[in-house]
């Protein structure tokens, strides 16, 4: 904290007050550490689209939370009802996870796309900088 305050040229207490406000306002939603699924033995990354029987979206969404290989899940528009980000040890493990998803009550079908290489890692700083520049004009 002290190092960040020095770099930003503000007092430590001022920086902490700003961070507290950003957390209260929901701008800061968490802090590290950020873990690498690959380093944890799960280098395979896939995006699984899930089509759900009408009226079962909440039920299926709740069931997805019990699958540890699902690291994110979103309700979506377009092809399918849910989009999940799934990690696995290898392709066989990924198939096992997909079979588990297919067997969930309310799941009609899945469609899987495997990631080959990360091209842009998750980031928000460029967006924040862009917003700051736009606000300054």
């Amino acid at each position: 904290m002290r190092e960040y305050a020095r770099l930003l040229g503000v007092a430590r207490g001022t920086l902490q007050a700003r961070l507290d406000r950003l957390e209260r306002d929901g701008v800061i939603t968490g802090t590290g550490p950020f873990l690498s699924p690959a380093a944890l033995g799960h280098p395979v990354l896939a995006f699984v689209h899930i089509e759900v029987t009408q009226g079962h979206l909440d039920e299926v969404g709740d069931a997805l939370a019990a699958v540890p290989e699902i690291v994110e899940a979103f309700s979506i528009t377009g092809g399918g009802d849910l989009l999940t980000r799934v990690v696995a040890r290898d392709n066989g493990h990924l198939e096992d996870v997909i079979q588990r998803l297919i067997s969930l009550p309310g799941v009609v079908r899945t469609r899987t796309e495997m990631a080959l290489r990360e091209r842009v890692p998750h980031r928000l700083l460029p967006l924040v900088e862009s917003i700051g520049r736009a606000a300054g004009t």
Side-chain angles (χ1 to χ4, degrees), residues 4 9 16-17 22 25 34 49 54 60-61 68 118 120-121 127 130 132 136:
Y4 289 122
Q16 186 63 56
L22 291 170
D25 292 346
F34 300 101
H49 298 257
Q54 276 191 321
V60 173
E118 182 178 66
V120 178
L127 175 64
S130 174

Side-chain angles (χ1 to χ4, degrees), residues 20-71:
D20 291 344
R21 186 184 78 243
L22 291 170
E23 284 183 32
R24 265 193 323 276
D25 292 346
V27 175
I28 295 176
T29 58
T31 58
F34 300 101
L35 304 176
S36 164
L40 295 171
H42 288 66
V44 175
L45 171 62
F47 300 93
V48 180
H49 298 257
I50 302 173
E51 187 177 324
V52 176
T53 304
Q54 276 191 321
H56 290 86
L57 189 60
D58 289 338
E59 175 186 330
V60 173
D62 291 343
L64 295 178
V67 180
E69 294 86 357
I70 294 179
V71 295

Side-chain angles (χ1 to χ4, degrees), residues 41-49 67 69-70 84-102 110-115:
H42 288 66
V44 175
L45 171 62
F47 300 93
V48 180
H49 298 257
V67 180
E69 294 86 357
I70 294 179
T84 63
R85 188 165 69 128
V86 178
V87 296
R89 292 184 303 273
D90 53 38
N91 290 352
H93 181 217
L94 176 61
E95 182 181 11
D96 294 342
V97 173
I98 293 167
Q99 291 302 317
R100 181 174 177 188
L101 298 178
I102 291 170
T110 65
R111 180 173 55 87
T112 302
E113 298 168 348
M114 292 184 60

